[in-house]
Amino acid sequence: MTLTNLALLPVFLVLAACATQPKWSPSSSNRELGVARVAYEHARSEQPRMSDMQAVQLATSRCETWGFTRVQMIPGELRECSVQNGDSCDVWKVTREYRCSGEDSLVRTAAR
């Protein structure tokens, strides 16, 4: 490896890390309200194309764990700054919410 190649290696590693596609992950959900949340983070310069199917699968899994049988997306997304740099935001967190319904909600209503 030449000295030039060694000097360029860190640049390529940084670019490769930036090219990593973010994925949805579970976020702060609320069983009592029957709301499952999923979120991802992205750099200010990125506009990632996220999988709606992955978000639904994560929310469905969370709702099923709580005993619900259905999920429905609550329209819209919540955006908040995760990493602030002066007056600009370097990293954004995007959250999507899903309403859980079905079996568990009927059991709780009947128990009251």
Side-chain angles (χ1 to χ4, degrees):
M1 215 181 238
T2 67
L3 188 56
T4 304
N5 288 347
L6 283 175
L8 291 176
L9 184 60
V11 173
F12 288 120
L13 291 175
V14 168
L15 290 175
C18 291
T20 302
Q21 180 69 20
K23 294 191 183 301
W24 290 102
S25 60
S27 190
S28 59
S29 298
N30 188 318
R31 181 181 180 169
E32 290 300 314
L33 294 176
V35 176
R37 294 182 184 96
V38 296
Y40 69 92
E41 291 187 333
H42 69 89
R44 169 183 50 185
S45 60
E46 297 175 337
Q47 289 299 321
R49 294 178 51 97
M50 302 301 294
S51 167
D52 291 337
M53 183 61 72
Q54 183 193 25
V56 170
Q57 288 171 339
L58 281 171
T60 300
S61 176
R62 175 65 56 96
C63 290
E64 286 176 348
T65 299
W66 294 338
F68 293 98
T69 58
R70 292 185 297 278
V71 298
Q72 180 178 6
M73 187 177 123
I74 298 171
E77 293 179 337
L78 307 170
R79 288 176 41 96
E80 64 182 310
C81 183
S82 291
V83 178
Q84 187 89 22
N85 185 7
D87 289 338
S88 67
C89 182
D90 287 343
V91 178
W92 287 96
K93 179 178 181 181
V94 179
T95 303
R96 198 177 273 178
E97 296 180 313
Y98 292 84
R99 170 82 50 213
C100 305
S101 62
E103 204 64 29
D104 186 64
S105 59
L106 295 175
V107 171
R108 283 190 286 148
T109 302
R112 289 185 188 177

